[in-house]
Amino acid sequence: MPDVFLHQSLSQQQTLAPQMRKSLEILQASTLELTQLVQQALETNPVLEDLTEIISLDEEGPDPDEADSLDYMNETDDDWRDRTILEGKSSPWTSEDEERRQRVYDSIVAPETLQQHLQNQLDLAMVEPEVREAAQAILGNLDDRGFLDLPAKTLAQRMEIRPKPMAEALALVQSFDPAGIGASGIPESLLLQLERTTGKDTIEYKIVRDHLEDLARKRHPQIARALGTTVERIAEAASRIGRLTPNPGGEFDPTGNPYILPDVVIERDDDGNWYARLTGEHLPNLRINDFYKDMIGKSGTDAKARQFLRDQIRDGRSLIHAISLRQETILAIAHKLIEHQPLFLTKGPRHLRPLTMNDIADELSLHATTISRAVAGKYVFTPHGLMEMRAFFATGYQTSDGAEVSNAGVREAIQQLVAAENPSKPLSDEVLMKALDKQGIKVARRTVAKYREQLNILPSHLRKTF
């Protein structure tokens, strides 16, 4: 039997305190995620309440040890109540206010889904019960684009519906708005759209039915020979086909075009200098409820209840501090972006300079991972539109005259060259590489191809027009 020994060892191990983990979670959270986190905290922590007043981040925060004391919290909240009274914001919540708020809530209507839109049309259709049942089955098997995700014959067998009612139901659904619904795929959807607008006896219909692959590859001369017409006629027909939608149900997708609120706005002041400001209007403003703080000081409060309230107040203050630190960090990064990217703000994306997170981290005495968490999912409204904050950090190239240009600047240069090209003689990646070289930007052809794909620009042979 082997000997058994008992021994001790001493080692160091770094661990994150719960408060530090919460701060990192809040820092990395996007606006939507933060709103959800705060809403969850409001539902689970009874001492927290949402304010209508914005918390100022310009004031110097209290000492952490002092901030945990009950005296400091009472003093802070007393100051807040006094300011609220002086500003005339302590008027009672009347029944008229409640009624007005309810009317606002009742007026918020959820967007209509594709299924609801089609169901409303089916409810108004005068059809036999068996056809209606088959149509209902078809609606239940449409994907987000409005396409039938399995053959109608297979669906009829699974639902034990006779072929004739299923065929009538499919024709009924395909007659619904929007055009192209109920198709088995993009080619059939395009044919349904053309059938409703121009009819079957058109050159567009024949192209989609018989020569869709040649059309995708811009083989206009081959299509013209097959249909006995001119290349010009094919080009005109291709233009009309291009205005059809390959995703007829896309307009009903609630996530297709999400609304993004910027976290920071960069603009000029009255003197023409750039400055950054936090938006903050979309963030809830939290405070510790006075009632529960008073309960701690009451002599009749149960010891367990008092300890529970202390824990909840500590958690609430930790959340408030984490949100404040998040906002201060984002604003500090925005100020540094202004310092590093003045030419971008003045002249546009072409003048975005290469910048790394390590550069900002060193200047703010933070770790690069902290900067990465802070900019994740955050957006900045600039004079050149809404941008993801992470887009300011990119590697780049040095031009022949020694100037630095970021990846975004190279992409914009490619986009400008393609926009100015002759449509009948589009520029190949090789030609684009040489054109960039004349501008002092030396990049490889495969790099040009990569940036072109990132810009969703087709290859030269697919951009050619006739």
Side-chain angles (χ1 to χ4, degrees), residues 319-330:
L319 177 62
I320 294 172
H321 177 70
I323 294 175
S324 175
L325 183 61
R326 171 190 187 270
Q327 296 296 87
E328 291 174 354
T329 304
I330 293 174

Side-chain angles (χ1 to χ4, degrees), residues 88-104:
K89 296 182 179 179
S90 59
S91 56
W93 187 260
T94 65
S95 59
E96 289 80 5
D97 296 328
E98 180 66 32
E99 184 178 348
R100 188 181 303 110
R101 184 179 68 170
Q102 189 61 42
R103 283 200 300 270
V104 172

Side-chain angles (χ1 to χ4, degrees), residues 3 40 93-94 98 112 170 177 186 214 251 274-276 286 297 300 305 310 314 357 401 422 440 454:
D3 295 336
Q40 182 180 7
W93 187 260
T94 65
E98 180 66 32
E112 186 181 40
L170 182 59
D177 175 75
I186 293 177
D214 289 333
E251 61 180 293
W274 296 107
Y275 76 99
L286 304 177
R310 286 198 183 100
R314 185 176 295 107
M357 295 184 185
D401 58 359
N422 185 348
Q454 291 176 357

Side-chain angles (χ1 to χ4, degrees), residues 364-405:
L364 295 178
S365 300
L366 297 173
H367 198 276
T369 57
T370 302
I371 303 298
S372 178
R373 289 189 177 98
V375 302
K378 314 304 188 301
Y379 288 84
V380 183
F381 188 80
T382 72
H384 309 289
L386 188 67
M387 290 181 57
E388 199 172 3
M389 186 173 279
R390 189 179 291 274
F392 284 90
F393 300 94
T395 57
Y397 302 89
Q398 192 172 54
T399 63
S400 57
D401 58 359
E404 292 182 325
V405 59

Side-chain angles (χ1 to χ4, degrees), residues 52 61 69 118 125 142 195-196 236 291 337 347 384 424 445:
T52 57
S69 67
L118 297 174
L142 297 179
E195 184 177 345
R196 191 175 301 186
E236 294 174 0
F291 174 77
L337 293 179
K347 299 182 179 181
H384 309 289
S424 61
R445 187 192 60 80

Side-chain angles (χ1 to χ4, degrees), residues 74-347:
N74 282 326
E75 179 183 356
T76 302
D77 289 342
D78 288 341
D79 292 341
W80 181 87
R81 287 197 299 270
D82 292 342
R83 187 168 66 252
T84 303
I85 294 173
L86 291 174
E87 293 177 355
K89 296 182 179 179
S90 59
S91 56
W93 187 260
T94 65
S95 59
E96 289 80 5
D97 296 328
E98 180 66 32
E99 184 178 348
R100 188 181 303 110
R101 184 179 68 170
Q102 189 61 42
R103 283 200 300 270
V104 172
Y105 287 164
D106 293 340
S107 66
I108 300 175
V109 181
E112 186 181 40
T113 65
L114 175 63
Q115 295 290 338
Q116 292 171 337
H117 183 68
L118 297 174
Q119 185 64 52
N120 292 337
Q121 297 176 71
L122 179 59
D123 293 341
L124 298 175
M126 304 294 291
V127 294
E128 297 294 330
E130 193 173 6
V131 176
R132 182 178 299 276
E133 179 185 357
Q136 196 73 57
I138 291 174
L139 295 187
N141 286 274
L142 297 179
D143 60 19
D144 294 337
R145 298 176 299 173
F147 295 163
L148 192 58
D149 58 8
L150 77 168
K153 183 179 180 180
T154 304
L155 180 61
Q157 293 174 350
R158 291 184 181 179
M159 302 296 296
E160 298 182 352
I161 300 173
R162 294 186 296 116
K164 183 178 179 181
M166 177 59 72
E168 294 179 5
L170 182 59
L172 174 66
V173 172
Q174 290 179 349
S175 69
F176 288 167
D177 175 75
I181 290 295
S184 59
I186 293 177
E188 186 181 3
S189 178
L190 297 178
L191 290 175
L192 289 172
Q193 296 174 51
L194 289 170
E195 184 177 345
R196 191 175 301 186
T197 56
T198 63
K200 295 183 178 181
D201 192 23
T202 61
I203 191 171
E204 292 85 0
Y205 193 92
K206 295 175 183 178
I207 291 174
V208 174
R209 183 188 61 193
D210 303 324
H211 306 281
L212 190 58
E213 184 176 352
D214 289 333
L215 178 66
R217 296 181 178 275
K218 290 289 188 76
R219 296 171 179 167
H220 292 184
Q222 293 91 319
I223 300 175
R225 285 194 298 269
L227 297 180
T229 184
T230 64
V231 175
E232 290 75 14
R233 287 281 307 277
I234 299 300
E236 294 174 0
S239 178
R240 287 190 287 268
I241 294 172
R243 290 193 285 269
L244 303 176
T245 174
N247 182 17
E251 61 180 293
F252 296 92
D253 182 10
T255 63
N257 187 23
Y259 183 75
I260 298 175
L261 288 171
D263 298 88
V264 181
V265 175
I266 296 179
E267 54 192 359
R268 291 185 185 273
D269 58 18
D270 295 337
D271 298 328
N273 300 317
W274 296 107
Y275 76 99
R277 63 176 176 84
L278 294 167
T279 53
E281 295 88 354
H282 50 278
L283 293 179
N285 303 283
L286 304 177
R287 63 164 285 187
I288 306 299
N289 189 284
D290 297 328
F291 174 77
Y292 294 104
K293 289 191 303 179
D294 294 340
M295 285 186 63
I296 296 179
K298 290 182 179 179
S299 57
T301 304
D302 181 74
K304 291 184 178 180
R306 186 181 291 110
Q307 184 59 45
F308 171 77
L309 291 177
R310 286 198 183 100
D311 294 339
Q312 296 300 312
I313 290 174
R314 185 176 295 107
D315 291 343
R317 286 202 56 80
S318 174
L319 177 62
I320 294 172
H321 177 70
I323 294 175
S324 175
L325 183 61
R326 171 190 187 270
Q327 296 296 87
E328 291 174 354
T329 304
I330 293 174
L331 185 60
I333 294 173
H335 286 152
K336 290 299 179 182
L337 293 179
I338 293 176
E339 294 179 13
H340 284 272
Q341 305 290 1
L343 288 179
F344 159 76
L345 296 173
T346 305
K347 299 182 179 181

Side-chain angles (χ1 to χ4, degrees), residues 381-450:
F381 188 80
T382 72
H384 309 289
L386 188 67
M387 290 181 57
E388 199 172 3
M389 186 173 279
R390 189 179 291 274
F392 284 90
F393 300 94
T395 57
Y397 302 89
Q398 192 172 54
T399 63
S400 57
D401 58 359
E404 292 182 325
V405 59
S406 69
N407 295 344
V410 178
R411 283 194 292 268
E412 187 185 12
I414 294 174
Q415 196 165 27
Q416 290 177 353
L417 290 171
V418 172
E421 71 184 2
N422 185 348
S424 61
K425 296 180 180 180
L427 304 177
S428 66
D429 294 340
E430 184 75 21
V431 175
L432 288 173
M433 181 192 70
K434 294 178 180 178
L436 290 174
D437 185 58
K438 291 180 180 179
Q439 297 181 15
I441 304 174
K442 295 184 179 297
V443 293
R445 187 192 60 80
R446 62 179 178 273
T447 305
V448 173
K450 181 183 72 172

